[in-house]
Amino acid sequence: MRTVLLAAGSSEVFLDDRGPERVLRMSWHAEHRIVVLSLWSGNRCTATFRLPIAQVPAVVQALTNGLAELAQATEVGAARRDAVVRQLWNEPAAAATAPRQRMPDGASRMSVRAVDAVIRACTRLRTRLDRR
């Protein structure tokens, strides 16, 4: 979602990432002590919500809590990803140093190659994610 600031300073527009015709507009009305949230489709207002200024801190707190939860979920996801990469990285090394077991049709070599390919892919993915 991108933000577009309006010149007057009393309102702000947020563009939906699904398309520029979908817009959330927030306008401040100090004289009425409200914030009006309106949903727009193109040039047509489809819905409004009048939020009393006294309730704005609760909305801000809810948004802050949501952002904190998202950040924590992202960290947990990254930790899980790292654990899987570490596990995949260590397994082939253990398999390579283990005594050779004869498996039908060369399945052992093929499995090790497949795991190595996954490790390389995970390593490339991790490198890309770490750059962000």
Side-chain angles (χ1 to χ4, degrees):
M1 183 180 291
R2 294 183 309 161
T3 304
V4 177
L5 298 174
L6 298 179
S10 62
S11 63
E12 197 163 338
V13 174
F14 300 90
L15 302 178
D16 194 307
D17 62 356
R18 292 174 287 180
E21 68 282 350
R22 300 173 67 103
V23 173
L24 169 68
R25 182 174 178 179
M26 177 176 41
S27 56
W28 294 85
H29 301 274
E31 66 279 6
H32 300 293
R33 302 195 46 76
I34 61 170
V35 175
V36 176
L37 304 172
S38 53
L39 296 174
W40 292 75
S41 179
N43 292 329
R44 188 170 151 252
C45 179
T46 59
T48 61
F49 183 88
R50 294 169 57 111
L51 180 67
I53 289 177
Q55 291 180 2
V56 170
V59 172
V60 170
Q61 184 64 49
L63 289 169
T64 303
N65 291 344
L67 285 172
E69 288 176 20
L70 285 173
Q72 183 179 9
T74 301
E75 288 173 11
V76 168
R80 285 185 186 148
R81 178 202 69 214
D82 291 346
V84 168
V85 169
R86 277 192 302 275
Q87 181 182 5
L88 288 172
W89 186 260
N90 291 329
E91 282 180 5
T97 58
R100 284 196 156 169
Q101 294 178 342
R102 209 153 152 81
M103 297 187 84
D105 300 326
S108 178
R109 261 183 266 125
M110 189 179 304
S111 299
V112 170
R113 285 184 189 154
V115 171
D116 285 342
V118 170
I119 291 169
R120 285 192 301 276
C122 288
T123 303
R124 284 192 304 269
L125 176 62
R126 182 175 183 193
T127 302
R128 287 184 196 162
L129 292 172
D130 287 344
R131 288 181 191 159
R132 291 183 182 180

